[in-house]
Amino acid sequence: MGYIIGGIACVLYAAFVYYVAIKRPPAIINLVKKKLNKNMSDKAAAIVCYVFASIALAGGIVLFIVRAR
């Protein structure tokens, strides 16, 4: 049961971060830039969001596959 909850959490996180990367809400993009690098451009922050969302989505898929066995 834990793998299913973890997989759902990872997929939801990935969906939220993909939304941030696509829509680029200024408050959240500024938060990403503040946490990583203040001199980062908005485009670079969006690319970072895409990378982290892809990693989370892959982790969610792995958790679903592990649970299916």
Side-chain angles (χ1 to χ4, degrees), residues 1 12 17 25 38 41 44 48 53 57 65:
M1 186 67 178
L12 290 176
V17 178
K38 293 184 180 186
S41 68
V48 168
L57 186 61
I65 291 171

Side-chain angles (χ1 to χ4, degrees), residues 38-49:
K38 293 184 180 186
N39 298 328
M40 181 183 290
S41 68
D42 286 350
K43 186 175 181 180
I47 291 171
V48 168
C49 289

Side-chain angles (χ1 to χ4, degrees), residues 3-52:
Y3 290 116
I4 296 288
I5 293 171
I8 290 171
C10 285
V11 169
L12 290 176
Y13 174 77
F16 174 72
V17 178
Y18 275 129
Y19 169 78
V20 169
I22 292 170
K23 294 291 184 177
R24 297 183 188 174
I28 299 176
I29 289 293
N30 286 336
L31 181 67
V32 170
K33 288 170 32 176
K34 186 186 303 182
K35 292 290 182 182
L36 296 176
N37 184 2
K38 293 184 180 186
N39 298 328
M40 181 183 290
S41 68
D42 286 350
K43 186 175 181 180
I47 291 171
V48 168
C49 289
Y50 280 123
V51 169
F52 282 112

